[in-house]
Amino acid sequence: MLPYLIAASPSLLFGTFSLILGRWQGDDRQKVFGIFAGAFLTALVATPFLGAKWSPQIVIISFISGVSAFIGIRDQTRCLRVLGVSRTMPISTGLQLVAASLAGVVLMGEWRGAGAMPVGLVAIAMLVAGVWLTSRREKGAEGDQLDWRLGARLLATSTVGLVGFLVIVQYFGISGRDAMLPQAVGYGLAALVLTSPRIMRDGDGRDTRWSRATIPFMVAGVLWAIAILVLMITSSMVGVATGFTLAQLGVILSTLGGIWWLGEHRTRRELIWTLAGLALVVAGAFVVGYAKSLDV
């Protein structure tokens, strides 16, 4: 039981991560730069204890994976501002699970075990239905006034980035221990360059990254990096499918916290749709995990 409880702990960190971004004040540049500064420092401290082994291929592929993580977190962070935490996170989680599952089937030959494909297709259907329900809004309500066109674009690009972060290293058979620091160099360098005022245009054009407002978001980056590290370690204890599935449970905390702690408004109908969609996304995550387990 203890390994499973530990394997579920990243979900609390991921859920808290998104709530911090929604709660604390700062512009997008400060949030993104702070996240990756904190994550880079965490990787730097943790790596000497991981027994990592590197080759030129591992370093290059992991670096590319880290840049992909930057794109994913940057656009997810921006989407939190555009759509809110309680709308972004269940949709984002569902889309990531669908995209990661399809990538596993196409690129890595997953779901080839007896019964895995039908179960996996049921899981995808549940996830798609959950995403649709979560994104529904009542005409004329507050949610109907949000910039859904921009939100949809950010959800698409963040999904590609975050799924790429995981799938790229899996495709080349690189362990999380070996990938962690080169990934950190990738997203750290991307954050340093791509959050500059010349490229990431927010506010009045001043470089706001080097201020006190950035420090709290470094805490969020530490939480994200620790969650990735714990997920990497516990996956070897409970299995990759189970560990990945349990890590998605943070969507419950972020969605409900966004509504009741951050005060993101829902009409009565929208609340019912959101809760039903959230239940489908969580259930779909477990069915995805079950489909993966059938490959063993």
Side-chain angles (χ1 to χ4, degrees), residues 1-43:
M1 178 61 72
L2 182 59
Y4 290 94
L5 291 176
I6 298 174
S9 61
S11 67
L12 298 176
L13 298 174
F14 285 134
T16 304
F17 167 77
S18 58
L19 291 175
I20 287 174
L21 296 183
R23 185 74 175 184
W24 290 341
Q25 298 299 312
D27 60 32
D28 289 344
R29 188 185 300 118
Q30 291 167 334
K31 291 179 180 180
V32 174
F33 184 74
I35 289 167
F36 288 110
F40 177 80
L41 291 175
T42 304

Side-chain angles (χ1 to χ4, degrees), residues 47 95 144 172:
T47 296
L95 292 176
D144 199 37
F172 287 94

Side-chain angles (χ1 to χ4, degrees), residues 95-110:
L95 292 176
Q96 286 177 57
L97 285 165
V98 170
S101 298
L102 293 177
V105 172
V106 174
L107 299 177
M108 288 170 279
E110 295 181 353

